[in-house]
Amino acid sequence: MKVYGITNCNTVKKALDWLKANHVAYEFHDFKKLGISKEKLEEWDAKAGYEKFLNKQGLTWKQLDPAVKESIKTKDDALKLLQEKTSMIKRPVIEKDDFLFFGFDEAIYERELK
């Protein structure tokens, strides 16, 4: 299983704490240190749609220039921006076999990851 996120994100911390407490093994991919490939973003988009993981509630989106926000008209526009500003990806991203989930939800983790 692979967990993508940023180490100083509170939601990522909650998820990692839950995984540790429930003895779920994982590999961590830090967006800040390792970035994210265009191919991985396209894979997530194909499975879930970029709207599912483009975090418009976060500070990074809110601080974007309005012209940049308005320029996001296509999937390619959104994925390019997400690759440049990885902190706009809803976190954590959990990949386990065919399971793909964005965020932290204890009930879903309980059902899908144990």
Side-chain angles (χ1 to χ4, degrees):
M1 182 174 88
K2 197 159 192 177
V3 178
Y4 296 81
I6 298 169
T7 55
N8 64 349
C9 170
N10 289 333
T11 308
V12 170
K13 288 177 187 175
K14 277 195 285 191
L16 296 180
D17 287 346
W18 187 92
L19 293 170
K20 289 173 191 166
N22 287 277
H23 310 288
V24 178
Y26 64 89
E27 174 187 345
F28 185 71
H29 179 103
D30 188 330
F31 288 140
K32 290 290 184 198
K33 292 179 183 170
L34 303 171
I36 193 72
S37 71
K38 180 181 179 199
E39 293 77 20
K40 182 54 72 176
L41 291 172
E42 287 174 347
E43 178 186 323
W44 292 345
D45 176 61
K47 289 180 178 180
Y50 74 86
E51 299 90 348
K52 187 87 171 168
F53 58 92
L54 172 58
N55 182 4
K56 292 185 176 180
Q57 305 305 314
L59 197 56
T60 305
W61 175 264
K62 290 176 182 173
Q63 291 177 340
L64 275 182
D65 184 285
V68 173
K69 291 180 189 178
E70 291 297 317
S71 74
I72 307 302
K73 305 232 185 282
T74 67
K75 170 191 86 155
D76 290 334
D77 296 338
L79 297 184
K80 184 174 187 283
L81 182 64
L82 287 167
Q83 191 173 17
E84 292 169 7
K85 298 188 177 294
T86 55
S87 55
M88 287 180 36
I89 299 171
K90 186 170 182 177
R91 310 177 290 273
V93 181
I94 306 288
E95 284 183 326
K96 181 181 178 195
D97 304 320
D98 289 334
F99 177 73
L100 177 64
F101 188 76
F102 304 94
F104 176 72
D105 184 319
E106 192 168 349
I108 291 173
Y109 281 30
E110 189 75 33
R111 185 178 68 237
E112 299 291 338
L113 302 178
K114 276 187 137 181

